[in-house]
Amino acid sequence: MRAGGPLADDTGSPGLETSTVGPMTEAFDLRSTAFVDDPYPTFAHMRRAAPVWQEPFTGHVYVTRYDDIRQVLLSPDFSSDRADERMSRVPADQGAECLRPLLHDRLMMTDGSRHRAMRREVSTYFTPVRARQYSDLIRETVTTAIAERQGRDTLDLLQLAVEIPSRVILAVLGFPPHDHAALRLWTDS
């Protein structure tokens, strides 16, 4: 979520009280093995020392206290609309401007009444009954993804955690399996 950028300045962001913003110089290594193994001590420290913290490598802002999170989610000063930021990553000569409307129609990139309308629209597809209907597809997708990695020395569970839901969603939407890798690449770019 952003308000004109990751943060307005190093002391606060629109919609948050300055007193809730921790020092941006506080260091948290969210890529460390210790964090990956057990993130909860780091999050507890973040809540105490820097409840609103901007990660220096990505510019992402982490809000770690419930009341602050609620304030951000309910404030019109913050937005989930990241279409412009995503489109800026695509080279201009790729002719990808036609993708902009697709980004604006993504649930995770909309706000307000548009977001609520989209949630209502898709919610019928994500009920427990529907999930049971997809159990064979899900099982087959997991089995295939793991089988494709047979013989490797390591297994990247994070990659599987992203890839498997993506394959299932694309299959449910009717995209043929031979297009899945390209579609994932395009959406990740």
Side-chain angles (χ1 to χ4, degrees), residues 139-188:
R139 190 175 296 106
E140 178 185 330
T141 302
V142 170
T143 302
T144 301
I146 292 172
E148 290 170 354
R149 288 157 173 82
Q150 291 260 315
R152 294 185 187 177
D153 292 336
T154 61
L155 179 64
D156 186 342
L157 293 178
L158 184 58
Q159 183 184 20
L160 280 176
V162 171
E163 184 179 320
I164 290 171
S166 171
R167 285 186 184 192
V168 170
I169 291 168
L170 290 170
V172 168
L173 293 175
F175 288 99
H178 64 270
D179 288 343
H180 291 188
L183 289 164
R184 279 194 308 277
L185 180 65
W186 295 339
T187 59
D188 290 343

Side-chain angles (χ1 to χ4, degrees), residues 65-91:
R65 293 190 309 199
Y66 176 82
D67 288 339
D68 296 333
I69 293 167
R70 183 169 167 74
Q71 188 175 352
V72 167
L73 289 173
L74 297 176
S75 172
D77 292 330
F78 292 87
S79 175
S80 295
D81 185 348
R82 297 181 309 278
D84 290 337
E85 184 268 329
R86 294 285 170 106
M87 289 301 295
S88 72
R89 298 180 195 178
V90 179

